[in-house]
Short mmCIF file of all heavy atoms in Angstrom, two decimals:
data_model
loop_
_atom_site.label_atom_id
_atom_site.label_comp_id
_atom_site.label_asym_id
_atom_site.label_seq_id
_atom_site.Cartn_x
_atom_site.Cartn_y
_atom_site.Cartn_z
N TYR A 115 -6.17 9.28 11.49
CA TYR A 115 -4.98 8.47 11.28
C TYR A 115 -4.64 8.41 9.74
O TYR A 115 -5.45 8.63 8.91
CB TYR A 115 -5.15 7.03 11.70
CG TYR A 115 -5.39 6.83 13.15
CD1 TYR A 115 -6.68 6.79 13.67
CD2 TYR A 115 -4.32 6.59 13.99
CE1 TYR A 115 -6.92 6.60 15.01
CE2 TYR A 115 -4.61 6.43 15.36
CZ TYR A 115 -5.90 6.44 15.89
OH TYR A 115 -6.04 6.28 17.23
N SER A 116 -3.31 8.41 9.57
CA SER A 116 -2.96 8.22 8.09
C SER A 116 -2.29 6.85 8.05
O SER A 116 -1.65 6.33 8.95
CB SER A 116 -1.97 9.29 7.76
OG SER A 116 -0.70 9.13 8.37
N PHE A 117 -2.39 6.20 6.85
CA PHE A 117 -1.88 4.99 6.51
C PHE A 117 -1.08 5.05 5.17
O PHE A 117 -1.64 5.54 4.17
CB PHE A 117 -3.03 3.94 6.24
CG PHE A 117 -3.72 3.55 7.54
CD1 PHE A 117 -4.79 4.36 8.00
CD2 PHE A 117 -3.37 2.45 8.42
CE1 PHE A 117 -5.50 4.00 9.19
CE2 PHE A 117 -4.03 2.07 9.56
CZ PHE A 117 -5.05 3.00 9.94
N GLU A 118 0.23 4.76 5.28
CA GLU A 118 1.02 4.88 4.10
C GLU A 118 2.18 3.91 4.18
O GLU A 118 2.93 3.85 5.21
CB GLU A 118 1.53 6.32 3.98
CG GLU A 118 2.23 6.56 2.62
CD GLU A 118 2.62 8.03 2.46
OE1 GLU A 118 2.53 8.76 3.45
OE2 GLU A 118 2.97 8.44 1.34
N GLN A 119 2.42 3.12 3.16
CA GLN A 119 3.39 2.11 3.04
C GLN A 119 3.41 1.24 4.30
O GLN A 119 4.54 0.88 4.91
CB GLN A 119 4.82 2.85 2.81
CG GLN A 119 4.78 3.63 1.47
CD GLN A 119 6.17 4.16 1.23
OE1 GLN A 119 6.93 4.46 2.17
NE2 GLN A 119 6.47 4.61 -0.02
N GLY A 120 2.27 0.80 4.72
CA GLY A 120 2.13 -0.02 5.87
C GLY A 120 2.31 0.65 7.28
O GLY A 120 2.15 0.05 8.26
N ALA A 121 2.58 1.95 7.26
CA ALA A 121 2.84 2.67 8.54
C ALA A 121 1.51 3.40 8.97
O ALA A 121 0.77 3.93 8.18
CB ALA A 121 3.96 3.73 8.34
N GLU A 122 1.18 3.28 10.29
CA GLU A 122 0.08 3.92 10.87
C GLU A 122 0.54 5.13 11.66
O GLU A 122 1.55 5.05 12.42
CB GLU A 122 -0.66 3.01 11.90
CG GLU A 122 -1.05 1.67 11.25
CD GLU A 122 -1.53 0.64 12.27
OE1 GLU A 122 -1.13 0.80 13.45
OE2 GLU A 122 -2.36 -0.28 11.94
N LYS A 123 -0.11 6.22 11.42
CA LYS A 123 0.40 7.51 12.15
C LYS A 123 -0.93 8.20 12.69
O LYS A 123 -1.80 8.48 11.94
CB LYS A 123 1.14 8.47 11.18
CG LYS A 123 1.58 9.64 11.87
CD LYS A 123 2.31 10.56 10.91
CE LYS A 123 2.76 11.83 11.53
NZ LYS A 123 3.59 12.74 10.59
N SER A 124 -0.89 8.58 13.95
CA SER A 124 -1.91 9.41 14.46
C SER A 124 -1.80 10.97 14.16
O SER A 124 -0.66 11.47 14.29
CB SER A 124 -1.93 9.30 16.04
OG SER A 124 -2.83 10.18 16.60
N ILE A 125 -2.77 11.48 13.59
CA ILE A 125 -2.67 12.91 13.06
C ILE A 125 -3.38 13.86 14.16
O ILE A 125 -2.88 14.95 14.39
CB ILE A 125 -3.46 13.05 11.65
CG1 ILE A 125 -2.71 12.28 10.66
CG2 ILE A 125 -3.48 14.49 11.37
CD1 ILE A 125 -3.37 12.25 9.40
N ALA A 126 -4.51 13.38 14.71
CA ALA A 126 -5.16 14.28 15.56
C ALA A 126 -6.18 13.43 16.45
O ALA A 126 -6.65 12.33 16.04
CB ALA A 126 -6.02 15.38 14.86
N HIS A 127 -6.48 13.92 17.67
CA HIS A 127 -7.61 13.30 18.46
C HIS A 127 -8.17 14.28 19.43
O HIS A 127 -7.48 15.21 19.75
CB HIS A 127 -7.06 12.01 19.12
CG HIS A 127 -5.97 12.32 20.19
ND1 HIS A 127 -6.27 12.68 21.44
CD2 HIS A 127 -4.62 12.39 19.95
CE1 HIS A 127 -5.07 12.89 22.13
NE2 HIS A 127 -4.07 12.77 21.16
N GLY A 128 -9.35 14.07 19.86
CA GLY A 128 -9.99 14.98 20.83
C GLY A 128 -11.42 14.56 20.95
O GLY A 128 -11.87 13.56 20.60
N GLU A 129 -12.23 15.59 21.48
CA GLU A 129 -13.61 15.30 21.55
C GLU A 129 -14.34 16.74 21.41
O GLU A 129 -13.69 17.76 21.66
CB GLU A 129 -13.99 14.65 22.85
CG GLU A 129 -13.63 15.43 24.10
CD GLU A 129 -14.23 14.66 25.39
OE1 GLU A 129 -13.58 13.63 25.69
OE2 GLU A 129 -15.05 15.26 26.00
N ALA A 130 -15.60 16.64 21.03
CA ALA A 130 -16.38 17.80 20.94
C ALA A 130 -17.92 17.42 21.18
O ALA A 130 -18.17 16.23 21.38
CB ALA A 130 -16.29 18.38 19.43
N LYS A 131 -18.75 18.44 21.15
CA LYS A 131 -20.04 18.17 21.48
C LYS A 131 -20.90 17.57 20.31
O LYS A 131 -21.77 16.76 20.62
CB LYS A 131 -20.79 19.37 21.99
CG LYS A 131 -20.42 19.97 23.31
CD LYS A 131 -20.83 19.08 24.33
CE LYS A 131 -20.46 19.64 25.77
NZ LYS A 131 -21.00 18.80 26.74
N THR A 132 -20.55 17.95 19.14
CA THR A 132 -21.37 17.53 17.96
C THR A 132 -20.34 17.10 16.82
O THR A 132 -19.11 17.49 16.78
CB THR A 132 -22.28 18.62 17.41
OG1 THR A 132 -21.42 19.74 16.93
CG2 THR A 132 -23.17 19.07 18.56
N ILE A 133 -20.90 16.45 15.77
CA ILE A 133 -20.04 16.19 14.61
C ILE A 133 -19.71 17.42 13.83
O ILE A 133 -18.60 17.49 13.38
CB ILE A 133 -20.83 15.13 13.65
CG1 ILE A 133 -21.19 13.86 14.34
CG2 ILE A 133 -20.07 14.86 12.37
CD1 ILE A 133 -19.97 13.19 14.84
N ASP A 134 -20.65 18.41 13.82
CA ASP A 134 -20.27 19.66 13.19
C ASP A 134 -19.08 20.23 13.78
O ASP A 134 -18.06 20.78 13.20
CB ASP A 134 -21.44 20.59 13.23
CG ASP A 134 -22.55 20.26 12.14
OD1 ASP A 134 -22.09 19.64 11.22
OD2 ASP A 134 -23.73 20.61 12.41
N ALA A 135 -19.06 20.26 15.15
CA ALA A 135 -17.93 20.77 15.86
C ALA A 135 -16.62 20.13 15.52
O ALA A 135 -15.52 20.74 15.47
CB ALA A 135 -18.23 20.77 17.38
N VAL A 136 -16.75 18.75 15.41
CA VAL A 136 -15.55 18.08 15.05
C VAL A 136 -14.98 18.42 13.69
O VAL A 136 -13.81 18.81 13.55
CB VAL A 136 -15.80 16.55 14.96
CG1 VAL A 136 -14.66 15.76 14.30
CG2 VAL A 136 -16.09 16.00 16.42
N ILE A 137 -15.84 18.51 12.67
CA ILE A 137 -15.44 18.82 11.31
C ILE A 137 -14.88 20.36 11.33
O ILE A 137 -13.87 20.68 10.70
CB ILE A 137 -16.63 18.75 10.42
CG1 ILE A 137 -17.18 17.36 10.29
CG2 ILE A 137 -16.15 19.18 8.88
CD1 ILE A 137 -16.20 16.26 10.07
N ASP A 138 -15.53 21.26 12.07
CA ASP A 138 -15.05 22.64 12.16
C ASP A 138 -13.70 22.66 12.75
O ASP A 138 -12.72 23.46 12.35
CB ASP A 138 -15.97 23.44 13.11
CG ASP A 138 -17.30 23.67 12.37
OD1 ASP A 138 -17.40 23.54 11.09
OD2 ASP A 138 -18.36 24.03 13.12
N GLU A 139 -13.45 21.86 13.71
CA GLU A 139 -12.04 21.71 14.41
C GLU A 139 -11.01 21.19 13.39
O GLU A 139 -9.94 21.76 13.40
CB GLU A 139 -12.09 20.97 15.68
CG GLU A 139 -10.71 20.81 16.37
CD GLU A 139 -10.29 22.06 17.09
OE1 GLU A 139 -10.98 23.13 16.92
OE2 GLU A 139 -9.16 22.12 17.52
N LEU A 140 -11.33 20.29 12.67
CA LEU A 140 -10.40 19.76 11.70
C LEU A 140 -10.17 20.78 10.63
O LEU A 140 -8.96 20.91 10.23
CB LEU A 140 -11.00 18.44 11.03
CG LEU A 140 -11.34 17.26 12.01
CD1 LEU A 140 -11.89 16.08 11.15
CD2 LEU A 140 -10.04 16.82 12.75
N ASP A 141 -11.12 21.51 10.20
CA ASP A 141 -10.88 22.57 9.23
C ASP A 141 -9.96 23.69 9.86
O ASP A 141 -9.08 24.23 9.16
CB ASP A 141 -12.19 23.23 8.82
CG ASP A 141 -13.06 22.23 7.94
OD1 ASP A 141 -12.55 21.33 7.44
OD2 ASP A 141 -14.22 22.56 7.81
N ARG A 142 -10.34 24.11 11.12
CA ARG A 142 -9.47 25.15 11.87
C ARG A 142 -7.95 24.66 11.94
O ARG A 142 -7.08 25.58 11.74
CB ARG A 142 -10.03 25.36 13.27
CG ARG A 142 -9.40 26.57 13.96
CD ARG A 142 -9.84 26.72 15.34
NE ARG A 142 -9.39 25.47 16.26
CZ ARG A 142 -8.23 25.59 16.71
NH1 ARG A 142 -7.30 26.53 16.50
NH2 ARG A 142 -7.79 24.48 17.50
N LEU A 143 -7.79 23.39 12.13
CA LEU A 143 -6.35 22.95 12.21
C LEU A 143 -5.70 22.73 10.82
O LEU A 143 -4.58 22.17 10.77
CB LEU A 143 -6.27 21.59 13.01
CG LEU A 143 -6.79 21.75 14.48
CD1 LEU A 143 -6.80 20.42 15.21
CD2 LEU A 143 -5.85 22.59 15.28
N ALA A 144 -6.52 22.91 9.77
CA ALA A 144 -6.09 22.73 8.40
C ALA A 144 -5.62 21.25 8.18
O ALA A 144 -4.65 21.03 7.48
CB ALA A 144 -4.96 23.69 8.05
N LEU A 145 -6.35 20.36 8.77
CA LEU A 145 -6.06 18.89 8.63
C LEU A 145 -6.61 18.47 7.21
O LEU A 145 -7.57 19.03 6.70
CB LEU A 145 -6.64 18.06 9.74
CG LEU A 145 -5.88 18.41 11.09
CD1 LEU A 145 -6.59 17.77 12.25
CD2 LEU A 145 -4.48 17.93 11.07
N PRO A 146 -6.06 17.40 6.67
CA PRO A 146 -6.52 16.88 5.45
C PRO A 146 -7.96 16.39 5.36
O PRO A 146 -8.42 15.87 6.41
CB PRO A 146 -5.47 15.78 5.06
CG PRO A 146 -4.98 15.34 6.37
CD PRO A 146 -4.86 16.52 7.21
N ARG A 147 -8.55 16.54 4.28
CA ARG A 147 -9.96 15.93 4.27
C ARG A 147 -9.82 14.38 4.28
O ARG A 147 -8.97 13.89 3.58
CB ARG A 147 -10.57 16.39 2.90
CG ARG A 147 -11.97 15.79 2.63
CD ARG A 147 -12.43 16.26 1.30
NE ARG A 147 -13.75 15.53 0.89
CZ ARG A 147 -14.97 15.97 1.15
NH1 ARG A 147 -15.05 17.12 1.93
NH2 ARG A 147 -16.07 15.31 0.78
N PRO A 148 -10.58 13.74 5.13
CA PRO A 148 -10.47 12.31 5.27
C PRO A 148 -10.84 11.54 4.00
O PRO A 148 -11.78 12.04 3.13
CB PRO A 148 -11.34 11.96 6.37
CG PRO A 148 -12.31 13.02 6.46
CD PRO A 148 -11.62 14.27 6.08
N ASP A 149 -10.21 10.37 3.72
CA ASP A 149 -10.60 9.64 2.56
C ASP A 149 -11.71 8.68 2.98
O ASP A 149 -12.42 8.11 2.13
CB ASP A 149 -9.36 8.74 2.12
CG ASP A 149 -8.22 9.62 1.71
OD1 ASP A 149 -8.43 10.33 0.65
OD2 ASP A 149 -7.22 9.55 2.16
N ALA A 150 -11.92 8.51 4.33
CA ALA A 150 -13.06 7.67 4.74
C ALA A 150 -13.29 7.96 6.22
O ALA A 150 -12.49 8.58 6.92
CB ALA A 150 -12.66 6.16 4.70
N VAL A 151 -14.51 7.62 6.67
CA VAL A 151 -14.97 7.79 8.05
C VAL A 151 -15.24 6.46 8.69
O VAL A 151 -16.20 5.80 8.04
CB VAL A 151 -16.12 8.85 8.21
CG1 VAL A 151 -16.43 9.00 9.72
CG2 VAL A 151 -15.75 10.20 7.57
N GLY A 152 -14.71 6.12 9.81
CA GLY A 152 -15.14 4.93 10.56
C GLY A 152 -15.88 5.31 11.74
O GLY A 152 -15.57 6.20 12.50
N HIS A 153 -17.00 4.55 12.10
CA HIS A 153 -17.76 4.73 13.22
C HIS A 153 -17.84 3.56 14.20
O HIS A 153 -17.94 2.33 13.71
CB HIS A 153 -19.30 5.04 12.72
CG HIS A 153 -19.39 6.19 11.90
ND1 HIS A 153 -19.78 7.44 12.42
CD2 HIS A 153 -19.31 6.43 10.61
CE1 HIS A 153 -19.85 8.33 11.46
NE2 HIS A 153 -19.54 7.70 10.30
N ARG A 154 -17.85 3.84 15.49
CA ARG A 154 -18.18 2.77 16.35
C ARG A 154 -19.61 2.75 16.58
O ARG A 154 -20.21 3.77 16.96
CB ARG A 154 -17.53 3.04 17.76
CG ARG A 154 -17.91 2.15 18.91
CD ARG A 154 -17.25 2.39 20.21
NE ARG A 154 -17.75 1.70 21.27
CZ ARG A 154 -18.73 2.14 22.10
NH1 ARG A 154 -19.37 3.32 21.91
NH2 ARG A 154 -19.16 1.35 23.13
N ILE A 155 -20.28 1.61 16.30
CA ILE A 155 -21.74 1.37 16.48
C ILE A 155 -21.84 0.37 17.58
O ILE A 155 -21.33 -0.74 17.51
CB ILE A 155 -22.36 0.86 15.16
CG1 ILE A 155 -22.12 1.89 14.02
CG2 ILE A 155 -23.86 0.72 15.52
CD1 ILE A 155 -22.64 3.32 14.29
N VAL A 156 -22.56 0.69 18.62
CA VAL A 156 -22.59 -0.12 19.76
C VAL A 156 -23.23 -1.46 19.61
O VAL A 156 -22.82 -2.53 20.16
CB VAL A 156 -23.21 0.59 21.07
CG1 VAL A 156 -24.71 0.81 20.81
CG2 VAL A 156 -22.86 -0.14 22.30
N HIS A 157 -24.36 -1.46 18.72
CA HIS A 157 -25.04 -2.70 18.60
C HIS A 157 -25.27 -2.98 17.12
O HIS A 157 -25.78 -2.19 16.37
CB HIS A 157 -26.49 -2.50 19.35
CG HIS A 157 -26.98 -3.66 19.96
ND1 HIS A 157 -27.11 -4.95 19.27
CD2 HIS A 157 -27.24 -4.03 21.24
CE1 HIS A 157 -27.58 -5.78 20.12
NE2 HIS A 157 -27.73 -5.37 21.31
N GLY A 158 -24.92 -4.26 16.91
CA GLY A 158 -25.20 -4.77 15.41
C GLY A 158 -26.33 -5.69 15.29
O GLY A 158 -26.66 -6.03 14.24
#
Side-chain angles (χ1 to χ4, degrees):
Y115 296 91
S116 69
F117 294 83
E118 188 173 14
Q119 295 181 344
E122 303 169 336
K123 181 181 178 181
S124 173
I125 299 176
H127 63 87
E129 65 178 66
K131 289 292 185 181
T132 66
I133 299 302
D134 281 335
V136 169
I137 305 301
D138 291 342
E139 179 67 5
L140 298 180
D141 289 342
R142 186 186 70 81
L143 295 172
L145 292 171
R147 178 181 172 88
D149 297 298
V151 180
H153 298 266
R154 172 181 174 265
I155 304 298
V156 71
H157 215 304

